[in-house]
Amino acid sequence: MKKKAEKLVHVQRAAIRRLLFSYVDEKDLLHRYTMVTTKGSKDIRESLTYLDKDSLIKIVQKSPEISQELIDEYVEEYRYSSRPSFQLYLLQSLEQKLTSKKFITRFGKNKGVEILNTTLNKSDTSHKKWKELKFVDQIQIDPSTIELAFSYQQRYDYINPETEDTAFIFELKYGFVWINVDEKFISISAPLDSLIPVLTSKVKEAFGLYAISVNISNQIVGKLFNKESMKRTAFFHPNPPEGKPQKILIADSNMGGKTKHLAEYDGYDSPGSVYEERIDDEFYSTIGINCKKGKIYLTRQLKASQLRSWGLGRIKQIMAYVNDVYNQGESEEFWHTIGIENEPNLKLFTSSTEERKVILEVVKLILRCKKKKVSSIKLLGYKVEELYKLLRKYSSVVFHPFCSSCGNYSEIFCKSCGRAEIATVNYKQGKPKVYCGYCYEPHTQNGLECIEGHKITVESWYDSVQFIPLSAFTELVTDLINTYFPQTGFSLENESFYLVNDELVYSNSVSGKVMYKPSELEQFKHILDREVLEERREVLAKILEIIKEKCSRHSNEACMQCQHEKSLLCIMKPFVTFTEHYLHPHHGQEFGDVSFLVNLGVQDAVYVGIAKSYEKNPVTESSGKGREMIQQFIGKCMDERVNALGLIIAGTVDQGVIAMCQSLARKYNKKVIMWFYEEMVKVVDYAIETLGLDINNVKAEIEADNSANKKRGKSRTTPKTKKEKAS
């Protein structure tokens, strides 16, 4: 029986219970349960559900109905997960001439297990969900692939039916690592994602092998998986073409003959799909593909022999394509020779050598995507936290995790304000934090929910970061490619790129432009192309510092009268001189602080501006004025009457606020036009000239009105006298 016990340690409790229920009568089970536990049972099936593995094995030992052959069969059948998965990695060795033959010779005969366990024992690798991770055996499963099996104890929490108290048990579980040096891949099958970082770091430490996460591009999926077998797919585009949704999930049990209708989503990224897969001559399973994580998973359990045969075949197919994409194109010497790193515009745009390097890596990968005709590729050598520090100034950085239930990227529901407009990433005190973009309350990693109410688990805030380039970044990349690689070229109108974690995603579909500078629009050129002399500019600067959002006598009647007066007492009045904007009292319920029609090339669009008075310091996401502007911006994004919107302020606005507004506008299919300090200098100057006012008199009138406003405010807050209260 000792041999029997040793074998059953390698399978899950559910498999042992299945073995007992299949071959032992329930009356005999109850009797043997009592012998092993010294307890009775009202429901033997429920009692066995919560019984530990050692006790289950003891019951098997007391069951002569179960032969050694049956146990061997169950060990082979159920050793690995009931929902097996493969996390794929590109293998890079510190030893340049290492081959599979050398690796297997060096680490064969369980030497690999020994060195891995030595590295595991150097530090505590326990986790709240698991403990006692260790490698148990290894085999060579084909001439160039070695399998290293590991076990761990996984924690399960439950309510004890007898005491109704919270309790937990640990169950022994198994997974494996496949290493193939010749074909440059590492595949990890682990039931828990939290095991993956530990396993990859220990493989690196033990063998000098880097496991670089790969993405399974849409092109690879299209070549290797039959469209006729597709059951579900998702599409995502951070900046979709006009009138198209940002994300969409499509499911149909008979989708095979309908895939031609998906052509309208060409240019979209597909983060995940589900297919029906033939495992062997008689066995089928549903297979899921998480492209961004480089993960494939099955919904049915396979025997170990089936798992190895089918899994190795599929993985080798996929990694052959991945290796082809990642093979070096032009050498570093070529890039140095053309001198692109010394491009003046690149140096002017960036503030460090490291920023220039990563931007050039983006350029290289865009060129490689176009050459290899793939939609995505990893930035090798960069961790996501490094990319965040280098690119956050030039990108809209949002937290947009992958929801496995939705099969797509998803917004996060804020438990504080109930909204899910956007979650932003900030790096403070050495650690990343994710905040609700509306109420600025921080999210916590425990209890994250998508807008559909599905639970989402992330190991780090860096797991789900998207870098959507700001227009200046995109324009720089466009100029670099068109200057140094004109034969390849890059079109702002037809092409785009963004990053998901450390992966660049390229698209050649037509995406509508979101951000417009006022100077780009023909109707404003006569204002913004004007020259302002330095002496006059100094007075304008004083005016911008003191002009407020409302004057001392604001009301419906006063604003209607002011519409035609030659005066300039609020920040909205200048827009009357060159748009059809109508003045109205400044309060929280108006359609917009400033509203008028703008021409964006196709037809006139309703523009709403959120106006604020002068701010000396840059307006940030965490400042009171910044949060107020973002909240108002979100409100106007959801207003179907508004086609374009923006911020109006005589000051500087932090890139984070601009990036957030840009992301929100993309989500709600709006255009953005911002009016900041330099624009407002010329707007106010034009208004003074058009109204025929003396610039110094304007300054004096605003100062006098501000004094009147202060007196009016004080009179409203002065306590009433006894006589006033009595009346």
Side-chain angles (χ1 to χ4, degrees):
M1 287 297 172
K2 185 179 179 182
K3 186 178 180 182
K4 183 184 288 189
E6 287 177 349
K7 285 266 187 178
L8 288 173
V9 165
H10 293 291
V11 301
Q12 301 173 47
R13 289 186 309 122
I16 302 175
R17 291 196 301 269
R18 189 179 293 114
L19 181 63
L20 288 168
F21 292 140
S22 298
Y23 295 96
V24 182
D25 185 81
E26 288 196 10
K27 289 182 180 179
D28 292 327
L29 277 179
L30 178 59
H31 175 65
R32 293 165 193 171
Y33 171 82
T34 303
M35 290 174 63
V36 170
T37 65
T38 68
K39 297 178 182 179
S41 172
K42 294 179 180 179
D43 185 339
I44 186 60
R45 287 184 172 268
E46 185 175 9
S47 296
L48 290 185
T49 299
Y50 299 107
L51 196 60
D52 62 89
K53 182 174 286 187
D54 288 341
S55 297
L56 287 169
I57 291 172
K58 287 177 182 177
I59 295 176
V60 173
Q61 289 174 328
K62 295 181 180 297
S63 302
E65 302 94 328
I66 299 174
S67 66
Q68 186 63 56
E69 290 74 20
L70 278 173
I71 289 174
D72 292 342
E73 182 182 329
Y74 265 68
V75 170
E76 172 68 9
E77 185 82 27
Y78 299 109
R79 176 174 178 175
Y80 294 124
S81 171
S82 59
R83 196 171 183 261
S85 65
F86 301 91
Q87 187 89 34
L88 305 185
Y89 292 89
L90 187 67
L91 181 155
Q92 287 194 337
S93 175
L94 293 174
E95 185 180 334
Q96 289 188 349
K97 295 184 179 180
L98 183 67
T99 63
S100 286
K101 184 177 180 180
K102 286 182 180 179
F103 181 80
I104 293 171
T105 300
R106 190 178 302 168
F107 298 108
K109 298 180 181 179
N110 259 26
K111 290 179 183 177
V113 167
E114 292 171 9
I115 191 171
L116 281 166
N117 283 332
T118 300
T119 61
L120 282 169
N121 292 334
K122 288 180 182 179
S123 59
D124 180 19
T125 58
S126 58
H127 189 275
K128 61 185 178 181
K129 295 181 181 178
W130 51 265
K131 65 178 183 178
E132 298 181 17
L133 174 64
K134 63 180 179 181
F135 283 82
V136 292
D137 60 43
Q138 69 180 69
I139 59 172
Q140 185 177 339
I141 55 177
D142 78 358
S144 57
T145 310
I146 189 170
E147 175 181 292
L148 298 133
F150 60 85
S151 68
Y152 65 98
Q153 296 276 354
Q154 183 170 337
R155 174 171 170 152
Y156 288 93
D157 296 294
Y158 67 96
I159 303 297
N160 190 315
E162 297 178 3
T163 64
E164 296 187 356
D165 293 331
T166 302
F168 64 87
I169 58 172
F170 280 94
E171 180 179 358
L172 186 66
K173 290 218 167 185
Y174 284 83
F176 56 85
V177 178
W178 288 345
I179 297 176
N180 187 314
V181 175
D182 289 347
E183 299 182 67
K184 295 182 181 179
F185 72 79
I186 295 173
S187 173
I188 299 177
S189 180
L192 290 176
D193 285 345
S194 54
L195 286 162
I196 300 290
V198 177
L199 293 167
T200 53
S201 68
K202 296 307 174 184
V203 166
K204 175 187 173 183
E205 186 179 345
F207 306 130
L209 302 176
Y210 285 93
I212 300 171
S213 176
V214 302
N215 62 291
I216 306 171
S217 71
N218 300 159
Q219 287 71 21
I220 291 174
V221 174
K223 289 176 181 177
L224 297 183
F225 293 88
N226 187 355
K227 281 187 177 182
E228 301 297 314
S229 301
M230 185 186 291
K231 300 298 180 186
R232 188 179 74 189
T233 191
F235 294 107
F236 175 80
H237 200 308
N239 186 16
E242 291 281 355
K244 292 289 183 69
Q246 186 183 64
K247 60 183 180 179
I248 186 169
L249 176 66
I250 299 174
D252 193 317
S253 59
N254 299 308
M255 190 184 292
K258 305 173 184 178
T259 53
K260 61 183 180 180
H261 299 297
L262 304 181
E264 63 177 299
Y265 298 107
D266 286 347
Y268 276 65
D269 187 35
S270 181
S273 298
V274 173
Y275 292 80
E276 185 177 60
E277 178 82 352
R278 184 174 183 172
I279 305 301
D280 55 30
D281 291 339
E282 299 179 355
F283 198 85
Y284 285 81
S285 174
T286 300
I287 178 173
I289 306 166
N290 185 330
C291 298
K292 303 310 156 192
K293 283 191 173 183
K295 185 175 184 178
I296 57 178
Y297 58 89
L298 295 167
T299 57
R300 292 186 66 176
Q301 190 166 35
L302 303 183
K303 292 182 180 180
S305 57
Q306 287 178 309
L307 199 63
R308 290 167 187 148
S309 175
W310 172 83
L312 271 180
R314 265 304 188 196
I315 289 170
K316 287 184 176 183
Q317 285 180 325
I318 292 169
M319 293 309 298
Y321 279 94
V322 170
N323 277 300
D324 179 58
V325 170
Y326 281 89
N327 284 336
Q328 290 297 318
E330 291 85 0
S331 66
E332 290 301 315
E333 183 181 357
F334 168 79
W335 285 87
H336 180 70
T337 302
I338 64 174
I340 191 172
E341 70 268 22
N342 296 316
E343 167 64 36
N345 289 338
L346 178 62
K347 287 188 172 182
L348 187 65
F349 185 79
T350 55
S351 56
S352 71
T353 302
E354 287 304 312
E355 287 181 359
R356 288 193 285 278
K357 284 182 179 178
V358 75
I359 288 174
L360 287 179
E361 281 300 313
V362 168
V363 171
K364 291 176 187 178
L365 295 190
I366 291 173
L367 294 170
R368 194 173 299 172
C369 281
K370 297 184 74 166
K371 180 179 180 181
K372 296 289 186 180
K373 297 183 178 180
V374 296
S375 60
S376 56
I377 189 168
K378 290 275 186 179
L379 275 79
L380 301 183
Y382 285 96
K383 295 181 179 179
V384 181
E385 47 263 46
E386 293 176 301
L387 293 174
Y388 176 79
K389 294 173 185 176
L390 294 170
L391 295 177
R392 59 180 171 175
K393 292 189 296 185
Y394 314 119
S395 309
S396 169
V397 186
V398 297
F399 181 72
H400 213 173
F402 184 87
C403 174
S404 56
S405 298
C406 295
N408 215 323
Y409 301 111
S410 180
E411 291 87 359
I412 294 298
F413 173 77
C414 177
K415 295 180 180 178
S416 177
C417 68
R419 307 184 78 107
E421 264 65 45
I422 197 166
T424 60
V425 183
N426 283 324
Y427 194 83
K428 293 186 177 181
Q429 298 177 343
K431 294 182 180 179
K433 297 286 185 182
V434 172
Y435 296 85
C436 170
Y438 189 82
C439 69
Y440 209 66
E441 281 295 308
H443 288 288
T444 58
Q445 286 181 344
N446 294 327
L448 287 176
E449 292 182 9
C450 76
I451 55 175
E452 298 293 331
H454 303 133
K455 301 292 184 184
I456 295 178
T457 301
V458 296
E459 293 298 322
S460 163
W461 290 128
Y462 287 128
D463 283 351
S464 304
V465 173
Q466 288 186 14
F467 302 88
I468 302 171
L470 300 177
S471 55
F473 184 11
T474 307
E475 289 166 6
L476 173 68
V477 168
T478 302
D479 289 342
L480 290 173
I481 293 176
N482 289 334
T483 299
Y484 290 88
F485 304 92
Q487 70 280 11
T488 303
F490 190 89
S491 168
L492 270 174
E493 289 73 28
N494 301 320
E495 298 175 86
S496 64
F497 67 92
Y498 64 97
L499 280 79
V500 179
N501 293 332
D502 57 349
E503 172 198 351
L504 180 131
V505 180
Y506 163 78
S507 172
N508 61 358
S509 65
V510 178
S511 298
K513 184 173 180 177
V514 174
M515 294 286 291
Y516 290 84
K517 295 177 182 178
S519 57
E520 291 181 71
L521 305 181
E522 190 65 35
Q523 69 191 95
F524 304 131
K525 281 188 176 296
H526 65 293
I527 299 166
L528 300 174
D529 286 348
R530 64 196 291 111
E531 294 289 333
V532 180
L533 298 177
E534 189 60 35
E535 184 178 349
R536 184 175 175 87
R537 187 182 179 89
E538 290 176 3
V539 183
L540 288 169
K542 294 292 184 183
I543 290 174
L544 286 173
E545 288 180 20
I546 61 175
I547 195 167
K548 303 298 181 184
E549 297 166 33
K550 55 188 177 184
C551 70
S552 62
R553 58 191 184 93
H554 69 283
S555 66
N556 286 327
E557 294 77 13
C559 289
M560 288 177 64
Q561 185 177 344
C562 182
Q563 182 82 20
H564 308 289
E565 289 181 351
K566 293 183 179 296
S567 62
L568 192 65
L569 296 177
C570 74
I571 196 71
M572 283 83 76
K573 181 63 182 283
F575 288 90
V576 170
T577 62
F578 62 93
T579 73
E580 72 284 6
H581 170 62
Y582 283 91
L583 293 171
H584 48 256
H586 188 86
H587 57 76
Q589 305 302 319
E590 73 266 17
F591 177 60
D593 300 335
V594 174
S595 57
F596 49 84
L597 295 178
V598 293
N599 192 300
L600 298 178
V602 180
Q603 59 184 12
D604 287 343
V606 176
Y607 174 81
V608 168
I610 299 162
K612 299 294 176 186
S613 57
Y614 173 78
E615 185 66 36
K616 181 179 180 181
N617 298 316
V619 177
T620 66
E621 298 169 59
S622 57
S623 66
K625 188 168 285 188
R627 291 171 62 180
E628 184 182 349
M629 293 174 87
I630 289 169
Q631 289 173 354
Q632 292 179 354
F633 194 94
I634 290 172
K636 292 306 167 194
C637 277
M638 293 188 289
D639 191 328
E640 294 182 358
R641 299 171 296 174
V642 178
N643 309 118
L645 69 165
L647 309 180
I648 298 171
I649 184 169
T652 303
V653 176
D654 182 76
Q655 284 290 319
V657 176
I658 298 172
M660 185 182 294
C661 291
Q662 190 173 1
S663 291
L664 287 164
R666 281 195 182 97
K667 177 181 177 181
Y668 290 101
N669 196 27
K670 309 292 186 185
K671 307 301 181 185
V672 179
I673 305 169
M674 300 289 198
W675 303 78
F676 295 146
Y677 189 87
E678 287 302 316
E679 286 84 8
M680 292 307 296
V681 166
K682 295 182 178 181
V683 164
V684 171
D685 182 57
Y686 177 84
I688 291 172
E689 181 182 289
T690 302
L691 293 171
L693 302 173
D694 180 270
I695 190 168
N696 292 304
N697 287 344
V698 169
K699 178 175 173 291
E701 288 174 2
I702 293 172
E703 289 172 335
D705 188 72
N706 287 345
S707 297
N709 221 345
K710 287 180 181 178
K711 291 178 182 178
R712 185 180 181 187
K714 286 182 180 180
S715 67
R716 286 176 173 174
T717 58
T718 302
K720 293 182 179 180
T721 64
K722 289 183 179 180
K723 185 176 181 181
E724 287 173 328
K725 288 180 179 178
S727 63

